[in-house]
C-alpha cells in the first residue's frame, strides 16, 4: 500500500507544480492498473524459467565472477 500512496502523492505533486494536467495523471493511473498486472503475470510465466537457467548458461562467468580456463590468461 505504501507504493500506491507514494504514486498518488507524486501524481498530485506533478499536478500541483504544473508539470501535468489532472487527466494526464488519471490516464497514467488507468494505464498502470491495466499494464502492471499483465506485465507481472507475463514475467512470472516466462522470466522465472529463464532466471532459473542463468547459473548454468553461458553468462555464468559474468554472473558469478568466476573465470573460465579460456579467459584466465
Amino acid at each position: 500500500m505504501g507504493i500506491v500512496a507514494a504514486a498518488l502523492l507524486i501524481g498530485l505533486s506533478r499536478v500541483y507544480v504544473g508539470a501535468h494536467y489532472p487527466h494526464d495523471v488519471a490516464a497514467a493511473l488507468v494505464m498502470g492498473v491495466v499494464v502492471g498486472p499483465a506485465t507481472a503475470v507475463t514475467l512470472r510465466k516466462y522470466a522465472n524459467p529463464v532466471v532459473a537457467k542463468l547459473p548454468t548458461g553461458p553468462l555464468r562467468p559474468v554472473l558469478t565472477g568466476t573465470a573460465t580456463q579460456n579467459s584466465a590468461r
Side-chain angles (χ1 to χ4, degrees):
M1 190 64 181
I3 293 174
V4 173
L8 287 172
L9 286 174
I10 291 169
L12 291 173
S13 71
R14 301 291 290 173
V15 171
Y16 180 76
V17 299
H20 292 290
Y21 291 110
H23 63 272
D24 294 339
V25 175
L29 172 69
V30 170
M31 183 190 286
V33 167
V34 172
V35 173
T39 302
V41 168
T42 302
L43 287 178
R44 192 174 300 126
K45 182 176 181 181
Y46 294 109
N48 284 343
V50 172
V51 171
K53 291 179 185 177
L54 284 175
T56 59
L59 290 177
R60 183 174 191 267
V62 175
L63 297 172
T64 61
T66 58
T68 60
Q69 285 184 344
N70 294 337
S71 64
R73 294 180 184 184

